[in-house]
Amino acid sequence: MMCRLLMIDDNPIEHFIVQRMLDTYKLFPNAVHSLDGKSTIQSLKENINQSDQIPDVIFLDLNMPEFSGWEFLKHFNNLIPGFNKEIEVHIVSSSIDPRDILKSKKYSFVKSFISKPFKKQMLEDLFLKWSN
């Protein structure tokens, strides 16, 4: 089974760093990147019935201008019933504010709170979980 990873972050450098790690460690070969949560929500709506177009795992940055990670979570929560597969969201943030962690726990699909920078072990563990 091929696991589809989608990373949503407004910082292109973060995408570059993560993609280099994925390439180096041969993880998530078909990772997709988005700089904008709003257009990603639109794309998810348009492809809601096409499992192969929908990610299995989403890395979501919270602090983005205009359409924050929190906005994304609210909209995504409304889409969840329409998906015909489980999608895990992992919050990715440079700050580990306990209030943010607590707030994110109200969404059952948010599986973890990952602090930047990404660690090799975390990426490998997640990849292994999805490749079995």
Side-chain angles (χ1 to χ4, degrees):
M1 177 181 124
M2 183 63 65
C3 175
R4 291 178 51 89
L5 169 69
L6 167 64
M7 180 173 176
I8 306 169
D9 193 315
D10 62 312
N11 182 349
I13 294 164
E14 291 292 338
H15 290 280
F16 177 77
I17 292 167
V18 170
Q19 190 59 53
R20 283 296 292 267
M21 289 180 79
L22 298 177
D23 292 345
T24 301
Y25 305 125
K26 297 181 180 19
L27 306 170
F28 299 105
N30 298 324
V32 179
H33 299 269
S34 172
L35 297 167
D36 169 33
K38 193 171 198 167
S39 65
T40 303
I41 287 290
Q42 192 55 45
S43 175
L44 290 170
K45 277 184 193 171
E46 290 165 9
N47 295 296
I48 201 159
N49 295 317
Q50 298 172 29
S51 286
D52 60 331
Q53 298 298 311
I54 303 284
D56 300 293
V57 178
I58 297 174
F59 289 162
L60 176 67
D61 182 31
L62 289 178
N63 301 313
M64 295 184 285
E66 293 180 37
F67 198 83
S68 72
W70 296 117
E71 286 293 311
F72 180 88
L73 289 172
K74 272 195 300 198
H75 288 270
F76 188 76
N77 195 39
N78 295 330
L79 292 178
I80 283 284
F83 296 126
N84 54 5
K85 68 177 183 180
E86 183 187 354
I87 302 169
E88 287 187 2
V89 175
H90 297 269
I91 305 290
V92 178
S93 183
S94 24
S95 88
I96 311 181
D97 184 331
R99 291 169 300 189
D100 285 345
I101 295 171
L102 205 57
K103 188 175 171 184
S104 74
K105 286 184 191 269
K106 75 178 194 177
Y107 298 103
S108 61
F109 51 83
V110 173
K111 301 301 179 191
S112 72
F113 209 97
I114 300 166
S115 60
K116 293 177 187 175
F118 282 82
K119 308 270 186 303
K120 175 187 177 191
Q121 191 62 53
M122 181 279 303
L123 290 169
E124 285 179 338
D125 290 348
L126 195 56
F127 182 73
L128 279 173
K129 175 186 172 197
W130 278 94
S131 22
N132 293 336

